[in-house]
Amino acid sequence: RIAFHQGDIRSLPFDDATFDAAMVNQVLHHLESGAEADYPGHRTAIAEIHRVLRPGGILTIHFCDHDQLQDGFWFYRLIPRGCAAALARCASSTHLDAIFEDLGFEIVDRVVPKDQILMGAAYFEGRGPLDQAWRNGDSVWALAPADELTDAIAKVESLVTDDRLDEFVAAGDADRPRVGQFTVLVARKPN
């Protein structure tokens, strides 16, 4: 039994205490940003999920932490302003923990799978940034200003010409095994 509903995560079209579990997969950074305003989009979405979960319900959130955005993706070195914009849109793990606790969740687990890659084998394609379809696989590219995108493409083309692209990818990927690319946070609504 499955049904699909379209709605806004900040105003879910369901009654209180409807679900046993909820999952949010790489969504929070698409909500309005603003660390100075305590990430209102994150807070509102998490509060809505808390509302629709039954007591004892589980929420699993899949997101990229700040260290992962800074050190877990080789190609973000090509778009530092795009990466900075993504960082501004994403609450850190510490901040998310505080939001969860403020809203009444108990954090029960946090997993950082350091051997998993969000884009799979495509992640290692050094020429990937030259392809719009490849860039569409990661929303941070949409945050890069047009001039930065043009410069990134020129940089990759130059690295290809100089036969240094593999070296650039390897250097940019050096910290990923240490920080991973994403975090899975599991929280429970108390009984």
Side-chain angles (χ1 to χ4, degrees):
R1 299 175 317 169
I2 190 168
F4 292 94
H5 302 269
Q6 183 174 343
D8 185 333
I9 193 170
R10 296 162 298 188
S11 180
L12 295 170
F14 305 106
D15 293 334
D16 294 358
T18 300
F19 299 103
D20 294 319
M23 177 183 282
V24 177
N25 187 9
Q26 292 291 328
V27 170
L28 293 179
H29 65 281
H30 292 286
L31 304 174
E32 69 268 13
S33 59
E36 69 284 347
D38 196 30
Y39 296 95
H42 291 51
R43 181 173 288 279
T44 301
I46 295 167
E48 267 297 277
I49 294 168
H50 186 276
R51 180 185 67 76
V52 301
L53 283 176
R54 292 182 182 108
I58 297 292
L59 169 58
T60 302
I61 293 193
H62 178 277
F63 68 101
C64 297
D65 195 8
H66 286 197
D67 289 344
Q68 294 162 334
L69 286 169
Q70 292 171 321
D71 298 327
F73 297 84
W74 68 266
F75 44 84
Y76 290 170
R77 293 182 348 166
L78 295 166
I79 52 170
R81 288 182 288 161
C83 186
L87 284 166
R89 297 181 70 86
C90 298
S92 68
S93 284
T94 303
H95 204 111
L96 273 178
D97 288 356
I99 291 172
F100 272 81
E101 290 169 12
D102 286 350
L103 295 172
F105 277 104
E106 297 172 349
I107 297 170
V108 296
D109 201 4
R110 178 187 324 278
V111 178
V112 178
K114 296 183 179 173
D115 60 343
Q116 293 185 17
I117 308 291
L118 285 175
M119 296 173 70
Y123 168 77
F124 294 103
E125 293 175 14
R127 294 174 185 250
L130 302 175
D131 178 11
Q132 178 69 49
W134 185 93
R135 292 192 310 268
N136 287 346
D138 187 314
S139 61
V140 175
W141 285 97
L143 300 173
D147 65 316
E148 185 171 64
L149 180 57
T150 299
D151 291 346
I153 290 169
K155 173 77 173 178
V156 172
E157 290 171 340
S158 173
L159 289 165
V160 168
T161 299
D162 296 343
D163 197 30
R164 293 185 312 123
L165 183 59
D166 290 343
E167 176 186 326
F168 182 84
V169 172
D173 188 54
D175 287 330
R176 178 196 45 80
R178 177 181 57 81
V179 300
Q181 286 192 330
F182 61 91
T183 298
V184 178
L185 182 67
V186 181
R188 186 175 71 80
K189 181 177 180 176
N191 288 325

